[in-house]
Amino acid sequence: MSSTNNIDLLRFATAGSVDDGKSTLIGRLLHDSKSILQDQLENIKALSEKRGDNFLNLALLTDGLRAEREQGITIDVAYRYFSTPKRKFILADSPGHAQYTRNMITAVSGVSLVIVMIDARNGVVEQTRRHSFIAELLGVKHLIVSVNKMDLVDYNQTVFTTIKDKYTDFISKTSIPDVQFVPISALKGDNVVDKSTQMHWYDGPTLMYLLENVQVNSDYNRVDCRFPVQTVIRPQSADYHDYRGYAGRVASGVFKKNDEVIVLPSKNKTRIKKIDTFDGELNEAFAPMSVTLLLEDNIDISRGDMIVKPNNLPMETQELDVMVCWLSDKKLVVGGKYILKHTTKEVKCVVKEVYYKINIQTLHRYDVDTEIGLNDIGKIKLKIAAPLLYDSYQQNKATGSLILIDESTLNTVAACTIR
């Protein structure tokens, strides 16, 4: 048990067009890595027989909603947790339809790796490009392109090579540094966990091997120290009469006891006196740990303030250019007022301008048609009611991203990254 607790964690998501086999692949990963409980397996067998499937329908493991099972599609994000002797995994199965792109954005926003599924019969399609571009926009550095359903093209090497070349030409226009290709059959299990006996021409690793061995620790920013304050803890009890701590999650960097820090926006300097957690005191804290900082001086600090290092400050502005993924049926309104949520801070803002909209097929920018609607991606300018402390998204996902909230409905209408 102790060895299992010490292995590292990989968060990853699946993406691709509907019916490319994302749910089946996840079911195959769970089944072949022996991560399915016996009662779950029996349930899936019974459901497969009830549906008239003449095979074990592993997609039913992740198509958790009744409506999904009836339609045979995934309409929400389904999360699964499993582990192997080498690594723990949290995977998100996102939907394939274009109208559920916002769910795909939700799934991909917190992962280190994305598996891009491609149906070997259809090749690179619009959703392949859309999801790959969103992955790049959200800072994902590792892609595994799984060319699925190779069993339906007679495990033909030329089919795989043609798709690989076409996708490579597309992805070379982005900044994703690590792209791997694997020919698989999720239904038959070829090259998922076990090596295929049908594709002797492929001498690369299996999909599971890549998942177990991809290096993601360097994805965390350990340099720029950012601690957005979530809440002030003052128990005011007899045992903790003078206790004043500032709780939150370390967005990036490493904070240590006795470190000199500066509180923004007041710019007051002090030192870290103590780092508390639920499990006891620590000498240092780093991203993404949730801790409580106690400071040497009694400074007025509230939710939304940020504790940083004096020699490494975030940028500050009231006008901001962001890339926006629109998530609402209500179109973006130039001049419209929204609530901006950034780390632990909420502030009102106005959309000043739409610079351009992205054509997902070509990645070209259109500055003539600038109407931003559901699932559209573009670049806009925001005017913010109070100064915002931020970094670029490439530097820090936590302080380089924000969401927009409709003032009247309080629904989230957009996910934004700062570039």
Side-chain angles (χ1 to χ4, degrees):
M1 178 66 76
S2 58
S3 61
T4 301
N5 290 334
N6 291 331
I7 59 179
D8 65 346
L9 172 68
L10 175 68
R11 298 174 188 271
F12 71 99
T14 55
S17 188
V18 64
D19 288 337
D20 279 350
K22 299 184 296 299
S23 297
T24 301
L25 172 65
I26 292 174
R28 175 60 64 184
L29 281 170
L30 296 172
H31 180 269
D32 288 7
S33 62
K34 299 180 175 50
S35 301
I36 302 177
L37 299 175
Q38 188 60 36
D39 60 335
Q40 288 179 306
L41 192 58
E42 294 299 328
N43 186 41
I44 295 301
K45 287 179 180 176
L47 286 171
S48 299
E49 291 176 2
K50 185 177 179 181
R51 287 164 49 97
D53 297 329
N54 59 359
F55 57 92
L56 182 61
N57 192 340
L58 295 171
L60 296 174
L61 276 169
T62 51
D63 289 348
L65 300 177
R66 182 184 299 275
E68 291 174 353
R69 286 179 175 168
E70 290 174 350
Q71 297 179 51
I73 63 170
T74 301
I75 59 176
D76 204 344
V77 180
Y79 292 93
R80 286 295 182 273
Y81 311 85
F82 70 102
S83 64
T84 67
K86 288 188 175 181
R87 188 167 243 174
K88 296 177 183 177
F89 300 95
I90 298 177
L91 64 89
D93 179 22
S94 57
H97 288 82
Q99 61 265 42
Y100 300 126
T101 298
R102 54 189 165 182
N103 304 74
M104 185 269 176
I105 293 171
T106 301
V108 172
S109 61
V111 305
S112 299
L113 180 148
V114 172
I115 298 175
V116 178
M117 300 290 291
I118 297 177
D119 188 324
R121 299 168 300 173
N122 303 326
V124 177
V125 296
E126 178 178 347
Q127 280 298 76
T128 312
R129 298 186 182 93
R130 183 189 300 275
H131 289 176
S132 301
F133 179 68
I134 291 173
E136 191 235 0
L137 193 65
L138 295 176
V140 174
K141 297 179 180 176
H142 309 282
L143 293 185
I144 300 176
V145 182
S146 296
V147 181
N148 190 26
K149 304 186 182 183
M150 288 298 294
D151 54 308
L152 298 183
V153 294
D154 297 325
Y155 299 102
N156 189 300
Q157 182 180 5
T158 302
V159 172
F160 173 73
T161 304
T162 302
I163 292 173
K164 180 180 178 181
D165 291 345
K166 188 171 184 179
Y167 187 86
T168 299
D169 180 60
F170 165 77
I171 206 67
S172 63
K173 301 171 185 172
T174 72
S175 60
I176 297 176
D178 180 25
V179 182
Q180 306 283 340
F181 294 84
V182 187
I184 68 169
S185 168
L187 185 66
K188 304 289 186 181
D190 295 285
N191 288 335
V192 178
V193 173
D194 302 314
K195 289 284 287 186
S196 172
T197 58
Q198 304 294 328
M199 291 179 276
H200 299 292
W201 47 265
Y202 175 73
D203 58 1
T206 64
L207 179 62
M208 179 59 87
Y209 179 90
L210 291 173
L211 292 174
E212 286 184 324
N213 291 281
V214 62
Q215 297 297 314
V216 295
N217 288 335
S218 59
D219 292 351
Y220 291 109
N221 182 330
R222 304 293 192 205
V223 177
D224 307 299
C225 295
R226 308 285 186 259
F227 185 80
V229 176
Q230 186 172 31
T231 188
V232 181
I233 297 179
R234 293 190 63 196
Q236 295 184 323
S237 63
D239 293 337
Y240 298 95
H241 183 74
D242 296 322
Y243 192 97
R244 178 189 285 268
Y246 305 100
R249 171 172 288 185
V250 180
S252 60
V254 181
F255 291 89
K256 298 179 180 178
K257 285 176 64 175
N258 300 317
D259 274 353
E260 185 181 32
V261 294
I262 184 168
V263 181
L264 299 177
S266 68
K267 298 182 180 174
N268 288 315
K269 290 184 179 179
T270 183
R271 288 186 179 277
I272 296 174
K273 183 170 67 177
K274 190 179 178 186
I275 302 174
D276 275 348
T277 70
F278 180 80
D279 297 317
E281 186 177 346
L282 300 175
N283 289 322
E284 65 177 26
F286 48 85
M289 296 172 66
S290 294
V291 299
T292 299
L293 301 183
L294 282 74
L295 305 178
E296 288 187 352
D297 301 293
N298 188 8
I299 299 173
D300 182 18
I301 301 174
S302 58
R303 176 182 172 86
D305 290 352
M306 190 179 292
I307 298 173
V308 303
K309 294 288 184 67
N311 59 351
N312 186 332
L313 303 180
M315 292 176 277
E316 181 177 343
T317 187
Q318 282 190 251
E319 287 195 344
L320 199 59
D321 293 340
V322 299
M323 293 296 296
V324 59
C325 300
W326 200 250
L327 311 178
S328 172
D329 293 324
K330 293 173 62 176
K331 293 179 179 176
L332 177 147
V333 178
V334 176
K337 297 178 180 178
Y338 300 93
I339 298 171
L340 184 158
K341 188 174 190 320
H342 173 259
T343 63
T344 57
K345 189 180 185 70
E346 289 188 10
V347 62
K348 292 186 177 181
C349 72
V350 176
V351 175
K352 297 292 291 184
E353 183 178 355
V354 177
Y355 292 115
Y356 57 79
K357 188 164 69 175
I358 296 286
N359 182 318
I360 297 298
Q361 287 280 14
T362 63
L363 299 188
H364 289 161
R365 302 170 179 178
Y366 282 130
D367 55 8
V368 178
D369 175 17
T370 56
E371 188 173 81
I372 302 283
L374 179 64
N375 298 320
D376 282 338
I377 297 171
K379 186 175 183 179
I380 64 173
K381 176 188 280 293
L382 299 173
K383 175 71 174 178
I384 308 166
L388 200 72
L389 303 164
Y390 72 99
D391 298 291
S392 71
Y393 189 81
Q394 295 299 322
Q395 182 180 353
N396 190 325
K397 286 187 178 182
T399 56
S401 61
L402 55 92
I403 60 172
L404 298 181
I405 299 169
D406 187 299
E407 276 192 319
S408 58
T409 64
L410 298 183
N411 289 331
T412 299
V413 295
C416 305
T417 59
I418 305 169
R419 294 204 164 192

